[in-house]
Amino acid sequence: MAEISSVVDWFGPYRSLKDARTVARQDFGGGLYAAIGWSKIEGRSPNQYRGRPTLQYIGIAENLGGRLTETHHKIGLRGNIEIASIWLGEVASYGVPGRRRKKIEPHLDIVEWATAFFLRTQYNEMKRTPPRCSCFVLNRWWSTDYETSIDRPVSRWADVIEYNIYTGSANLCWFGRNGRVKSIDNAMAYGRAAINQEMKSKSLLPASITDDELV
């Protein structure tokens, strides 16, 4: 399969599942959604969660408004994530931000897969192997007015994810004043390391992968 290249526009932050669902029903059809927050720790109050909020989960849906409900297995009321914000995403058309045509994009599954795998989102447990094809993902973030460009919501969310399935290598790039590049020589080994870390963490407190551990 040829390389899949995608420019993804993310809109937010929406401070609750209800707010994100309302906007999704009005302005979106199919697309991506991402949850930023903390991993819930049984028996602890929200102010006892460890560290700053981070990217916990990314998903896709043919109907975002119908997917973002309190019964969602990861981000709903009985899910594993204490939500700080929800972001709604879609593959850009002609590089112009704004409201989109309401249909699912064929590239969405690769964007979800690459993001979950290389950024090691904690609750995308089924995405611990590299994507099935080479890909290039460019992320852009916009305010809820759909027009104002803003900074990435959490530091670990890379501007660019680039993966070459033939060499097994990848690059994560962060733009800006403190820009940096993280090079991954062996994506399979990178995935195994994430699995080993998860297994180790299960014997401790269920904490998120931190920015320092990713970078």
Side-chain angles (χ1 to χ4, degrees):
M1 182 182 293
E3 177 181 282
I4 290 181
S5 298
S6 302
V7 177
V8 184
D9 285 328
W10 293 95
F11 302 96
Y14 300 100
R15 297 302 182 185
S16 70
L17 198 57
K18 180 180 179 181
D19 289 346
R21 180 171 64 249
T22 298
V23 172
R25 287 175 174 173
Q26 293 174 347
D27 295 338
F28 292 78
L32 297 131
Y33 58 98
I36 292 173
W38 303 267
S39 175
K40 291 181 179 178
I41 300 175
E42 186 175 358
R44 294 194 172 198
S45 61
N47 63 1
Q48 291 177 304
Y49 296 138
R50 294 177 58 187
R52 294 168 295 178
T54 190
L55 187 61
Q56 295 282 343
Y57 182 80
I58 180 172
I60 58 176
E62 293 186 359
N63 180 352
L64 282 175
R67 183 63 173 142
L68 299 175
T69 68
E70 282 73 13
T71 59
H72 192 288
H73 66 301
K74 296 294 185 181
I75 62 176
L77 294 176
R78 296 186 178 182
N80 300 316
I81 302 168
E82 182 71 21
I83 293 174
S85 64
I86 299 288
W87 290 74
L88 304 178
E90 55 193 1
V91 174
S93 175
Y94 308 111
V96 179
R99 296 180 176 87
R100 299 282 176 249
R101 58 194 182 281
K102 295 189 175 182
K103 69 174 185 178
I104 196 72
E105 291 282 354
H107 294 181
L108 292 182
D109 63 329
I110 296 299
V111 173
E112 176 198 31
W113 196 341
T115 302
F117 178 77
F118 288 110
L119 300 188
R120 292 177 171 175
T121 51
Q122 183 168 0
Y123 289 107
N124 289 98
E125 297 94 335
M126 303 303 293
K127 296 292 189 295
R128 296 299 184 246
T129 57
R132 67 174 183 270
C133 65
S134 298
C135 58
F136 179 92
V137 178
L138 172 63
N139 292 301
R140 306 187 299 189
W141 296 274
W142 306 89
S143 177
T144 54
D145 64 7
Y146 301 110
E147 297 178 354
T148 305
S149 177
I150 57 179
D151 292 335
R152 67 181 64 83
V154 290
S155 60
R156 68 181 290 189
W157 203 341
D159 292 85
V160 170
I161 301 171
E162 180 270 329
Y163 170 59
N164 187 324
I165 193 173
Y166 301 106
T167 63
S169 61
N171 290 293
L172 310 181
C173 304
W174 289 262
F175 301 153
R177 185 175 182 179
N178 297 315
R180 62 190 187 277
V181 176
K182 176 180 176 63
S183 295
I184 298 167
D185 295 328
N186 187 325
M188 288 297 295
Y190 184 80
R192 288 194 296 270
I195 293 172
N196 290 338
Q197 182 170 350
E198 287 178 353
M199 293 177 64
K200 181 179 179 181
S201 70
K202 287 180 180 179
S203 64
L204 305 171
L205 290 175
S208 304
I209 296 172
T210 66
D211 291 353
D212 291 339
E213 289 169 333
L214 176 69
V215 177

